[in-house]
């Protein structure tokens, strides 16, 4: 029986934009009709977090794209969950494939960051996903389950976690996973949660899809029973982000 999982759409702006373009994105979101049936989060670059929080409509939450696993100290260049909370934010993205593959973050570090962010009272969008080579070798589930296990070991309260399944081969490539491909992994992740955590957590945890989602392909993906929303990169910088927010309407 499908639990009522609220649709969730995050916009990950990555390292894009400047004050003026971000002002434009926010102005567009502020005048748009955003469904109250969807939890909407945007994640600007760290230096624009405060500005975004101050100017975006209250129905849209703001997330950091990353954080460290300590609350303060000699960690040049890093941001702590305590600081993210301090400017009034509630969310952080962790384990994004670019953190894993460009910056070499390991499953263990990501797990520690998830544990620390949750313990500081943030909610976490925790990302997992396989490389094309993993998929071609038939190792998708093995890789994704290993990533989710490292996260799971650091989660006490799953109501503060959204899992983002983002196949690396689909991110920023224009090669979106088919609704069936995405649904298959989402279902497998839910079965994993049911076996390894609890049936209740499996039914209630949102599992969102990311990787080349756009205004044209979002509706077919959103129809899948285990796809509870999206994490959107490129298209979240464009007006079509509003169509993605409303994909279930
Ligand atoms: P994309 O990025 O939508 O540009 O493929 C998705 C993501 O990295 O979250």
């Amino acid at each position: 029986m499908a639990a009522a999982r609220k649709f969730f759409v995050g916009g990950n702006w990555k390292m894009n934009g400047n004050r003026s373009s971000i002002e434009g994105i926010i102005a567009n979101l502020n005048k748009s009709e955003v469904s109250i049936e969807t939890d909407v989060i945007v994640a600007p670059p760290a230096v624009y977090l405060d500005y975004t929080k101050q100017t975006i409509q209250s129905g849209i939450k703001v997330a950091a794209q990353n954080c460290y696993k300590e609350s303060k100290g000699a960690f040049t260049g890093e941001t702590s969950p305590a600081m993210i909370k301090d400017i009034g934010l509630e969310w952080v993205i962790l384990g994004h494939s670019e953190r894993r593959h460009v910056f070499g973050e390991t499953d263990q570090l990501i797990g520690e960051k998830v544990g620390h962010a949750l313990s500081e009272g943030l909610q976490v969008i925790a990302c997992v996903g396989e490389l094309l080579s993993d998929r071609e070798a038939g190792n998708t589930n093995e890789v994704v389950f290993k990533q989710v296990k490292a996260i799971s070991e650091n989660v006490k309260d799953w109501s503060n976690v959204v899992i983002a399944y983002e196949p690396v081969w689909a991110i920023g490539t224009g090669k979106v996973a088919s609704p069936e491909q995405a649904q298959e992994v989402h279902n497998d992740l839910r079965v994993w949660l049911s076996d390894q955590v609890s049936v209740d957590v499996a039914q209630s945890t949102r599992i969102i899809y990311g990787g080349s989602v756009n205004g044209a392909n979002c509706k077919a993906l959103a129809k899948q029973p285990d796809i509870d929303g999206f994490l959107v990169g490129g298209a979240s910088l464009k007006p079509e982000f509003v169509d993605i927010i409303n994909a279930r309407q």
Side-chain angles (χ1 to χ4, degrees):
M1 200 181 56
R5 294 182 295 267
K6 190 171 179 189
F7 203 61
F8 184 106
V9 175
N12 174 12
W13 298 351
K14 309 192 181 186
M15 197 177 74
N16 291 301
N18 53 34
R19 180 75 168 230
S20 144
S21 70
I22 286 173
E23 216 175 272
I25 294 170
I26 292 170
N28 182 58
L29 287 173
N30 285 352
K31 71 172 164 54
S32 298
E33 195 84 33
V34 171
S35 169
I36 54 161
E37 308 293 326
T38 307
D39 280 334
V40 184
I41 271 92
V42 294
V47 292
Y48 301 112
L49 282 172
D50 196 32
Y51 172 73
T52 304
K53 165 74 181 163
Q54 301 297 331
T55 54
I56 206 156
Q57 59 160 300
S58 60
I60 300 180
K61 306 276 191 217
V62 181
Q65 296 175 11
N66 184 29
C67 69
Y68 197 51
K69 60 170 178 163
E70 304 284 345
S71 47
K72 64 180 169 59
F75 303 105
T76 301
E78 295 295 316
T79 305
S80 73
M83 294 164 179
I84 295 166
K85 290 264 301 186
D86 191 39
I87 61 164
L89 309 188
E90 299 162 38
W91 285 92
V92 64
I93 299 172
L94 289 170
H96 189 275
S97 85
E98 286 140 25
R99 297 305 315 172
R100 293 175 185 272
H101 299 294
V102 182
F103 299 99
E105 292 192 8
T106 60
D107 284 347
Q108 180 176 341
L109 175 60
I110 292 160
E112 288 170 2
K113 288 181 173 197
V114 168
H116 179 63
L118 290 171
S119 75
E120 293 277 314
L122 283 179
Q123 298 177 78
V124 173
I125 302 166
C127 307
V128 298
E130 82 287 1
L131 296 165
L132 183 59
S133 54
D134 299 323
R135 178 164 280 266
E136 286 176 347
N139 294 336
T140 297
N141 281 4
E142 190 185 314
V143 170
V144 167
F145 291 169
K146 187 164 164 283
Q147 292 169 340
V148 83
K149 180 169 187 285
I151 290 162
S152 169
E153 285 166 353
N154 293 279
V155 177
K156 292 195 191 85
D157 180 357
W158 280 88
S159 66
N160 293 321
V161 179
V162 169
I163 296 175
Y165 167 60
E166 301 203 293
V168 181
W169 48 270
I171 296 178
T173 58
K175 288 188 197 143
V176 64
S178 69
E180 295 72 26
Q181 279 176 320
Q183 165 59 25
E184 186 179 19
V185 180
H186 283 231
N187 176 65
D188 291 345
L189 277 166
R190 216 175 288 290
V191 170
W192 187 94
L193 285 173
S194 175
D195 292 346
Q196 305 294 323
V197 186
S198 74
V199 173
D200 195 38
V201 163
Q203 283 306 316
S204 57
T205 301
R206 274 124 8 134
I207 306 177
I208 62 175
Y209 168 80
S212 296
V213 175
N214 61 33
N217 60 31
C218 62
K219 278 197 160 42
L221 287 158
K223 283 203 182 89
Q224 297 297 317
D226 289 296
I227 298 182
D228 305 315
F230 302 111
L231 187 55
V232 185
S236 72
L237 300 163
K238 302 179 189 162
E240 71 189 89
F241 186 57
V242 175
D243 301 329
I244 301 171
I245 291 170
N246 296 324
R248 273 266 176 91
Q249 303 310 297

